[in-house]
Amino acid sequence: MEPLMGPEAAAFRPGWQALLLWVSALSCSVSFPAPPSPSLVPRVRTSYNFGRTFLGFDKCNACIGTSICKKFFKEEIRFHNWLVSHLELPLDYLPSYPANYSDDSKTWRPVEILRLVSKHQTEISDRRICASAAASRTCSIERVLRKTGRFQKWLQAKRLTPDLVQGLPSPLLRCPSQRLLDRVVRRYAEVADAGSIFMDHFTDRDKLRLLYTLAVNTHPILLQIFPGAEGWPLPKYLGSCGRLLVSTSTSPLQESYGAPPDQAADLAYQLLGVLESLRSNDLNYFLYFTHVDAAMFGIFNNGHLFIRDASALGVIDKQEGTQTATMAGENKDIFSCLVAGCQTELPACDTIPEKQSLVLVCRQVLPQLLQGKFPSPVQEQIDALLVQCGEGAHPDPEVLGAASQLKDILRLLRTCDPRFAYRYPDCKYNDKF
């Protein structure tokens, strides 16, 4: 891998530059009135000074949230190479960062820190907000967003209703039912008193953060409303600070493309099972992907496969139905254009087939995972089923049938040993595993 070059990289290299930064931070900290524990000041204030802009905390309340900021400022969340020195932050343009999380500063567990959008796209988005109000370069992003007609409606609202999210670009909100939006409010983890479908306990800051998140990337919302603790194939949401999200750590699926045959069969079998649970579940929601790639799926250290990036997931309520947005002039505003172009159109709800996610995965993910892994007769059968499963022109029953046959074959190719800790030793005693 080529070393990262450029001014950003240079700014974070170890050595005398870091020492100067530390001295500068220390000199600033001693200029403040002495707090009760002066010995702790350089440590805490240094991480705060370095981290505030990096985290996007300075952009709040045009941000995701602040629920986990204290963990950052107390250094109970540290970047992967930050366990020894807290003076240096990683490069600020990466999409994600491996990190460590602690509740007692003694025991640590791996987590992942994610940006919902790239730093470059965030800068474009912020400039777009200022331009929408013909504001100067000293524009207050939060003030501009507060003055919009959409947010003024949010301020008056007691309940999150479909008209308040109409025109937002996320597939999650393309065809929202009231039941789905009530779930968003009830499960929203960035407020103190979650649990009610009404927003009486939301401050105006809470409402702006929720609206900003829904407009930019609904990944953290999906982690909250469909939590892994309830059986959904998503990592645990640990909290947000500024414009960064913290969740449990997974390894990208593409890192397993070179896995041995039994492991590849296990991962493919799990992936087909994940898509089946999205399509058919007790809550009667139909979750589907608008696009896929291997980076959207991840593997926990116990071998369990999960959805690593839920930003491309749409949701259709099969129980209550949906309120389809009008295709033309559907309440477009600055919140519709923060990440995607304002002209972006999503397909109508009633045109999403059950086979959609299967077709995408069978075309773009499973071939790379399963290619050339097995003896000739089995491999040929797998390849043929992948072609059938990935054929978008075929009717739903044909695609679903091919996927079911493929899953049956993969099930027999899996093995039972400690490498698959998520189902071992149960698999020794029960064929279900």
Side-chain angles (χ1 to χ4, degrees):
M1 180 176 179
E2 292 295 326
L4 294 167
M5 302 298 290
E8 295 91 345
F12 289 98
R13 285 175 184 164
W16 64 269
Q17 293 168 308
L19 180 62
L20 288 177
L21 287 172
W22 183 84
V23 172
S24 174
L26 182 61
S27 64
C28 291
S29 67
V30 298
S31 66
F32 287 86
S37 303
S39 62
L40 297 178
V41 171
R43 176 174 176 269
V44 176
R45 190 172 297 281
T46 298
S47 64
Y48 183 90
N49 285 345
F50 282 148
R52 194 171 188 270
T53 300
F54 178 88
L55 297 169
F57 184 72
D58 58 327
K59 301 294 186 180
C60 285
N61 293 294
C63 63
I64 315 168
T66 58
S67 61
I68 209 166
C69 288
K70 286 184 179 180
K71 285 283 186 183
F72 278 103
F73 299 154
K74 291 167 65 178
E75 294 185 14
E76 291 177 343
I77 296 177
R78 299 182 181 181
F79 294 93
H80 189 63
N81 59 351
W82 206 20
L83 284 173
V84 176
S85 171
H86 60 274
L87 291 177
E88 296 179 30
L89 288 167
L91 302 174
D92 64 356
Y93 53 77
L94 299 178
S96 64
Y97 309 88
N100 299 278
Y101 177 102
S102 176
D103 289 316
D104 57 11
S105 297
K106 296 178 181 178
T107 56
W108 299 85
R109 54 191 168 106
V111 295
E112 189 166 21
I113 301 174
L114 300 168
R115 294 187 183 277
L116 295 192
V117 292
S118 69
K119 181 174 174 59
H120 175 67
Q121 182 59 56
T122 298
E123 291 170 350
I124 293 175
S125 172
D126 290 346
R127 289 197 296 268
R128 195 173 286 164
I129 292 170
C130 292
S132 71
S136 67
R137 61 182 180 178
T138 58
C139 156
S140 166
I141 295 169
E142 179 177 346
R143 190 175 297 118
V144 172
L145 294 179
R146 282 178 176 272
K147 289 180 179 180
T148 59
R150 186 189 294 269
F151 185 66
Q152 291 303 309
K153 290 180 181 178
W154 273 62
L155 287 178
Q156 302 301 317
K158 299 295 185 183
R159 193 175 185 182
L160 186 59
T161 52
D163 62 294
L164 295 176
V165 298
Q166 191 179 45
L168 296 183
S170 168
L172 170 65
L173 303 170
R174 181 58 182 174
C175 317
S177 66
Q178 188 59 59
R179 184 172 74 116
L180 178 63
L181 295 180
D182 287 345
R183 191 174 181 86
V184 169
V185 172
R186 192 171 64 248
R187 299 295 186 94
Y188 185 51
E190 292 298 318
V191 294
D193 300 316
S196 172
I197 63 173
F198 298 103
M199 297 192 289
D200 297 328
H201 58 296
F202 279 50
T203 65
D204 57 347
R205 293 180 301 173
D206 296 329
K207 289 184 175 181
L208 182 56
R209 291 171 187 172
L210 176 56
L211 174 55
Y212 180 85
T213 306
L214 291 173
V216 170
N217 188 326
T218 53
H219 173 71
I221 302 300
L222 282 153
L223 300 193
Q224 294 167 54
I225 64 177
F226 299 120
E230 296 177 8
W232 294 94
L234 292 163
K236 183 178 181 180
Y237 176 81
L238 297 174
S240 297
C241 184
R243 291 177 170 179
L244 295 183
L245 154 75
V246 183
S247 66
T248 47
S249 178
T250 61
S251 302
L253 177 61
Q254 66 262 36
E255 292 183 3
S256 297
Y257 276 175
D262 60 342
Q263 186 178 354
D266 183 79
L267 292 172
Y269 179 87
Q270 287 190 72
L271 182 49
L272 291 174
V274 163
L275 299 185
E276 188 175 329
S277 70
L278 298 183
R279 192 172 64 250
S280 177
N281 51 74
D282 292 341
L283 290 182
N284 231 359
Y285 287 114
F286 169 40
L287 285 74
Y288 64 92
F289 282 99
T290 57
H291 63 275
V292 299
D293 60 59
M296 290 182 171
F297 302 97
I299 308 164
F300 287 144
N301 56 13
N302 65 356
H304 207 171
L305 182 140
F306 276 67
I307 297 171
R308 187 167 179 256
D309 177 2
S311 60
L313 275 179
V315 180
I316 293 176
D317 190 339
K318 296 193 291 185
Q319 175 175 305
E320 188 175 290
T322 59
Q323 297 192 18
T324 305
T326 56
M327 295 302 290
E330 52 175 31
N331 197 20
K332 298 281 188 179
D333 62 4
I334 185 58
F335 288 102
S336 310
C337 315
L338 293 183
V339 177
C342 298
Q343 304 305 315
T344 301
E345 296 288 356
L346 294 170
C349 308
D350 56 5
T351 65
I352 306 297
E354 280 194 79
K355 66 185 177 184
Q356 172 148 320
S357 297
L358 277 171
V359 170
L360 293 171
V361 165
C362 288
R363 280 180 181 175
Q364 301 176 35
V365 178
L366 290 182
Q368 292 92 326
L369 181 62
L370 298 174
Q371 183 177 17
K373 295 286 186 181
F374 308 100
S376 181
V378 175
Q379 186 69 56
E380 290 172 1
Q381 192 174 6
I382 289 175
D383 293 344
L385 288 171
L386 284 175
V387 171
Q388 292 180 45
C389 175
E391 182 50 70
H394 290 172
D396 282 8
E398 189 171 328
V399 172
L400 297 177
S404 179
Q405 292 180 55
L406 177 59
K407 191 177 178 187
D408 288 341
I409 293 173
L410 294 171
R411 181 173 175 274
L412 298 175
L413 295 172
R414 300 192 304 165
T415 57
C416 178
D417 63 60
R419 288 177 299 154
F420 309 105
Y422 77 96
R423 58 183 176 89
Y424 183 89
D426 295 343
C427 56
K428 294 175 64 176
Y429 315 108
N430 191 332
D431 290 341
K432 175 184 176 184
F433 300 100

